[in-house]
Amino acid sequence: EDAGGARPDGSSAGSGAARRLTPARVALAGGLAGGKVASAAGGRSHSLAVLRGGRLLAFGCGEAGRLGLGDQRDRPTPSAVPLGEAVAMTAAGGAHSLATTAGGRVYAFGDGRQGQLGVEPPGHATAMSATGHRCCVLPAWVEALAAISPRAVACGGDFSLVVAHDGSLYSFGANSFGQLGLGCA
């Protein structure tokens, strides 16, 4: 251990998983072993990865359903998100996530208090968060974006952006600083 509390392997002393000071390879185990990651996204305290072939993985803090795994449990290792469609790209926000499919759909899950999911969570996919609000614990299709053919997605802390194939930009969620670009705050 050095004077700053770091172990020779780069992890922090005394806390085990509290932080890591040097890069470490993320192991894919079980049915995910041998999978190759095509892209990844990091939120405030959760991570998403898309495998070649389109399988979506989630890990980290599960609060408010931000992992899309059907509950609010934390996952210290990658778990497959039950989407049923090949994922093309993903984005992670403060406590929510977006995923687009190869078929052109946008899915959202997690905390939607500010409208950042772009959809009211369907009844079967909701739960009450620790702070007493309804959240979406499974991916929900953002039907309002059905006709846009998404080209890119991004998430801020509590807002979302989707770029359509034609170059149009769609924004939804919190707008207290004008971050949605809609001309008002």
Side-chain angles (χ1 to χ4, degrees):
E1 188 174 306
D2 70 15
R7 295 181 182 136
D9 71 355
S11 63
S12 60
S15 59
R19 65 183 173 142
R20 178 136 187 112
L21 302 177
T22 59
R25 185 175 182 172
V26 176
L28 300 180
L32 304 173
K36 302 294 182 194
V37 175
S39 64
R44 180 181 326 135
S45 55
H46 70 295
S47 301
L48 304 168
V50 179
L51 296 181
R52 293 181 194 160
R55 198 162 188 191
L56 179 61
L57 308 179
F59 46 105
C61 177
E63 183 182 355
R66 68 188 80 187
L67 300 180
L69 296 170
D71 57 38
Q72 296 184 67
R73 292 183 307 135
D74 295 349
R75 300 299 200 295
T77 58
S79 296
V81 176
L83 196 59
E85 294 184 53
V87 170
M89 64 195 110
T90 190
H96 73 291
S97 304
L98 295 179
T100 67
T101 66
R105 288 186 168 203
V106 177
Y107 287 88
F109 40 100
D111 181 358
R113 285 185 283 183
Q114 301 293 325
Q116 65 266 45
L117 299 183
V119 63
E120 280 293 320
H124 73 281
T126 63
M128 291 302 277
S129 74
T131 56
H133 64 279
R134 196 153 283 298
C135 57
C136 190
V137 297
L138 287 169
W141 178 38
V142 184
E143 193 171 358
L145 299 174
I148 70 157
S149 298
R151 187 172 52 183
V153 291
C155 294
D158 53 8
F159 67 98
S160 300
L161 303 167
V162 179
V163 178
H165 185 69
D166 69 2
S168 301
L169 178 64
Y170 292 81
S171 60
F172 41 101
N175 192 37
S176 52
F177 300 100
Q179 64 266 44
L180 297 184
L182 302 175
C184 59

